[in-house]
């Protein structure tokens, strides 16, 4: 009997020890689960950290990063938003390195046109089944479509901004250009070509002011190609029946027209080395009548520099002049109608190589929505002269004063109404191939064209041959 009792007691002790070990093991697994990977059974209120890689979206955005993190933690006491700032120049490289290592941030601020590139890596996070109805209904439908590929939703838009050109009002009027008529009615390539000829000033053989300068150094060349292609009958790299569009004869004509502007002397012959910072400096110092790509925030930046000049503030751009900034539309080509190229940039969600826990995904969605809506959206759009794309952002900004020129605002609204539609129907694999072709073939050949090392026909032939290899004979436009 005593022996039986001893056996029973021994078994109970073993059972209690085993239970204790299992309990500790489970507790340890829950607490040590990585923020961005590994399945877990975390409770909804368990501590968690969400990481974000954010550039200077507007002039004052990065100054508020600490406050943004603090406000997020106050709203969600168990959550921490850890923000890594990046310059625009470093943003793509930093993100690519992290993605290639399989350790991307939970959220990164990028253009919607980059979603296809990263979706092909398998490291984007589809939040379409996690977002709430209230979140979705807060966004304007069109910009939200730009954050989709197929049926997947990969983040939230911060704004939808028309790509346009920027002009110096005084120089435009001196050249006899009716900029108000251009804002209202647009202009053709031929009209644009003649206008920038008039705006080009020479002193002997030296050009002291160019009619038009566009940043085309490095990946900035992508902007020139895509923005102008929109108004040349190619609003997307793919037609509606998913044929690659840049093998159209219109693409060849667009390349020929680009060479014309350089050969006219209206654009510098070193355009391939002009960076975004250089072209803006040229504009503020009176070396350019029209600049591109232009963004809405340029008006605010020009106004701020004007105020510094008036106050004799030494922080004004060196050798700059007073500039009354005018928004201008991109010209149309070959009888095509205007289809505005738009920048729909936003907070894109990543998952990394390991599958994140369900609770972590929910927390990432909370953070992305927090950044893209309400007060933060209102302040971001006000600082950048950008239109709000959320109801909550518009409500939060109703008492904010935005000193945008009424003529420029009217053009902004007009161009947004004429925006090219989003193309979530383009499969990820096609989008990835198009991105690769753009970066590996089109951009380097385009820069060779700008430097007069190859002809438009040679570039077109190279692009067409590469497109056939990528998409097949039946996968490209033939006209």
């Amino acid at each position: 009997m005593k022996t039986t009792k001893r056996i029973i007691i021994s078994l109970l002790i073993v059972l209690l020890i085993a239970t204790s070990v299992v309990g500790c093991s489970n507790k340890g697994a829950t607490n040590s689960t990585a923020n961005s990977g590994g399945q877990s059974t975390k409770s909804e209120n368990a501590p968690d950290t969400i990481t974000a890689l954010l550039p200077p979206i507007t002039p004052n955005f990065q100054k508020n990063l600490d406050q943004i993190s603090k406000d997020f933690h106050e709203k969600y006491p168990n959550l921490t938003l850890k923000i890594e700032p990046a310059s625009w120049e470093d943003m793509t490289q930093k993100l690519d390195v992290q993605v290639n290592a399989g350790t991307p941030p939970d959220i990164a601020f990028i253009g919607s046109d980059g979603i296809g590139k990263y979706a092909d890596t398998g490291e984007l996070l589809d939040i379409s089944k996690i977002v709430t109805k209230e979140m979705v209904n807060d966004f304007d439908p069109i910009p939200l479509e730009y954050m989709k590929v197929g049926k997947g939703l990969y983040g939230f838009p911060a704004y939808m901004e028309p790509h346009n050109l920027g002009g110096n009002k005084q120089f435009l009027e001196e050249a006899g250009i009716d900029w108000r008529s251009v804002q209202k009615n647009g202009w053709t390539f031929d009209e644009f070509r003649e206008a920038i000829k008039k705006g080009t000033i020479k002193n002997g053989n030296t050009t002291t002011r160019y009619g038009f300068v566009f940043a085309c150094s490095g990946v900035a060349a992508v902007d020139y190609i895509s923005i102008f292609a929109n108004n040349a009958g190619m609003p997307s790299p793919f037609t509606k029946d998913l044929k690659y569009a840049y093998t159209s004869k219109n693409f060849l004509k667009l390349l020929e027209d680009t060479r014309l502007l350089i050969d006219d002397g209206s654009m510098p012959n070193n355009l391939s080395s002009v960076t975004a910072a250089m072209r803006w400096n040229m504009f503020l110092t009176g070396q350019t009548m029209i600049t591109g790509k232009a963004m809405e925030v340029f008006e605010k930046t020009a106004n701020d520099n004007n105020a510094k000049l008036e106050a004799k503030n030494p922080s004004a751009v060196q050798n700059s002049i007073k500039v009354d900034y005018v928004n201008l539309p991109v010209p149309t080509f070959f009888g095509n109608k205007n289809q505005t190229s738009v920048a729909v940039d936003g907070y894109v969600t990543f998952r990394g190589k390991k599958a994140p826990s369900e609770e972590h995904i929910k927390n990432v969605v909370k953070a992305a929505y927090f950044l893209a809506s309400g007060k933060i959206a209102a302040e971001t759009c006000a600082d950048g002269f950008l239109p709000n794309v959320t109801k909550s952002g518009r409500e939060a900004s109703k008492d904010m004063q935005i000193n945008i020129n009424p003529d420029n605002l009217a053009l902004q609204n007009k161009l947004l109404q004429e925006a090219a539609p989003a193309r979530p129907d383009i499969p990820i694999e096609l989008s990835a191939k198009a991105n690769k072709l753009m970066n590996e073939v089109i951009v380097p050949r385009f820069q060779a064209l700008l430097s007069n090392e190859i002809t438009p026909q040679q570039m077109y032939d190279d692009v067409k041959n590469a497109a056939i290899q990528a998409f097949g004979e039946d996968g490209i436009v033939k006209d």
Side-chain angles (χ1 to χ4, degrees):
M1 192 74 179
K2 288 182 180 179
T3 302
T4 304
K5 282 185 177 180
R6 287 195 191 101
I7 292 172
I8 292 171
I9 291 170
S10 298
L11 287 173
L12 287 172
I13 291 171
V14 170
L15 183 60
L16 286 170
I17 292 171
T19 304
S20 175
V21 168
V22 170
C24 290
S25 175
N26 286 340
K27 183 179 179 182
T30 301
N31 288 341
S32 64
T33 301
N35 288 323
S36 57
Q39 297 291 345
S40 82
T41 56
K42 282 186 178 182
S43 70
E44 186 174 345
N45 295 318
D48 195 9
T49 297
I50 301 96
T51 58
L53 181 66
L54 305 180
I57 301 169
T58 59
N60 294 304
F61 180 79
Q62 286 189 336
K63 297 176 184 177
N64 299 321
L65 295 185
D66 289 343
Q67 187 63 48
I68 289 172
S69 294
K70 181 181 177 182
D71 290 347
F72 180 74
H73 186 64
E74 285 182 359
K75 183 170 184 178
Y76 303 104
N78 62 307
L79 303 181
T80 299
L81 180 58
K82 183 179 179 182
I83 300 176
E84 178 186 357
S87 68
W88 281 115
E89 290 77 13
D90 295 339
M91 183 71 194
T92 300
Q93 183 180 5
K94 276 190 174 183
L95 184 58
D96 284 349
V97 167
Q98 293 177 22
V99 168
N100 291 335
T103 56
D106 294 311
I107 300 166
F109 189 90
I110 63 172
S112 59
D113 54 355
I115 292 177
K117 168 186 172 182
Y118 294 111
D120 190 52
T121 67
E123 293 191 34
L124 279 186
L125 177 64
D126 179 4
I127 61 173
S128 58
K129 295 180 180 178
I130 303 296
V131 294
T132 65
K133 183 178 179 181
E134 289 74 20
M135 289 177 181
V136 170
N137 289 342
D138 192 22
F139 289 90
D140 295 343
I142 293 176
L144 192 63
E145 283 294 302
Y146 274 85
M147 307 302 287
K148 297 178 181 179
V149 176
K151 295 181 180 179
L153 176 65
Y154 297 96
F156 298 119
Y159 52 76
M160 185 166 98
E161 175 185 21
H163 285 140
N164 49 30
L165 308 179
N168 180 310
K169 177 182 173 182
Q170 178 184 343
F171 293 167
L172 289 166
E173 292 178 349
E174 287 175 358
I177 299 165
D178 187 349
W179 56 270
R180 282 193 174 88
S181 175
V182 172
Q183 284 187 334
K184 183 178 180 180
N185 304 309
W187 46 4
T188 65
F189 169 75
D190 291 334
E191 291 169 336
F192 176 73
R193 182 185 178 190
E194 291 306 310
I196 62 175
K197 278 184 183 179
K198 294 175 183 176
T200 301
I201 304 296
K202 289 191 174 184
N203 183 5
N205 293 324
T206 302
T207 302
T208 58
R209 183 199 305 160
Y210 289 98
F212 180 46
V213 173
F214 199 105
C216 288
S217 174
V219 295
V222 176
D223 290 330
Y224 185 102
I225 294 163
S226 58
I227 290 170
F228 281 80
N230 259 49
N231 278 2
M234 297 167 285
S236 166
F238 293 95
T239 61
K240 290 183 179 179
D241 57 354
L242 298 180
K243 304 288 185 184
Y244 186 70
Y246 291 171
T247 54
S248 164
K249 291 296 183 184
N250 276 1
F251 190 67
L252 173 59
K253 292 177 185 176
L254 181 62
L255 299 178
E256 291 171 343
D257 283 349
T258 299
R259 263 309 327 168
L260 281 177
L261 301 182
I262 298 174
D263 294 340
D264 287 343
S266 302
M267 292 201 300
N269 56 20
N270 67 333
L271 202 65
S272 63
S273 62
V274 174
T275 65
M278 286 171 60
R279 66 90 205 271
W280 184 237
N281 183 272
M282 291 177 72
F283 184 75
L284 289 182
T285 55
Q287 298 176 67
T288 316
M289 180 178 73
I290 297 175
T291 194
K293 140 185 105 172
M295 296 178 282
E296 307 304 321
V297 73
F298 284 9
E299 179 185 347
K300 182 177 187 296
T301 305
N303 291 345
D304 290 346
N305 195 66
N306 290 341
K308 291 177 181 179
L309 288 172
E310 188 173 345
K312 296 184 173 15
N313 188 324
S315 65
V317 173
Q318 188 175 8
N319 299 321
S320 59
I321 61 174
K322 183 178 183 297
V323 174
D324 289 327
Y325 184 86
V326 173
N327 275 346
L328 296 168
V330 175
T332 56
F333 298 78
F334 329 127
N336 287 284
K337 66 178 182 178
N338 180 65
Q339 295 189 79
T340 308
S341 168
V342 293
V344 181
D345 301 340
Y347 302 93
V348 176
T349 48
F350 288 80
R351 51 164 281 157
K353 288 184 178 179
K354 295 181 180 180
S357 69
E358 183 179 344
E359 286 306 323
H360 184 69
I361 293 174
K362 290 179 181 178
N363 295 335
V364 170
V365 172
K366 288 176 184 177
Y369 178 68
F370 179 81
L371 292 166
S373 63
K375 177 186 173 185
I376 296 175
E379 291 176 345
T380 301
C381 290
D383 191 36
F385 282 17
L386 297 162
N388 276 288
V389 295
T390 59
K391 297 181 183 72
S392 61
R394 284 189 284 269
E395 176 63 24
S397 66
K398 64 183 181 181
D399 295 325
M400 293 181 181
Q401 295 297 318
I402 305 175
N403 297 319
I404 187 171
N405 181 292
D407 292 318
N408 291 340
L409 179 60
L411 178 62
Q412 180 188 102
N413 292 333
K414 177 178 183 292
L415 293 177
L416 286 174
Q417 291 172 6
E418 298 170 353
R423 293 294 306 276
D425 60 301
I426 299 173
I428 289 174
E429 59 271 18
L430 286 186
S431 180
K433 286 181 179 180
N435 278 320
K436 184 177 181 182
L437 195 152
M438 173 65 78
N439 293 325
E440 296 182 3
V441 180
I442 294 179
V443 167
R445 301 308 278 165
F446 183 65
Q447 288 172 337
L449 171 70
L450 297 177
S451 301
N452 210 19
E453 297 169 8
I454 60 173
T455 66
Q457 184 67 54
Q458 288 172 321
M459 175 177 170
Y460 173 77
D461 290 341
D462 290 345
V463 172
K464 185 173 181 179
N465 290 335
I468 290 172
Q469 289 183 359
F471 305 107
E473 288 278 0
D474 296 330
I476 65 170
V477 169
K478 297 178 180 178
D479 54 16

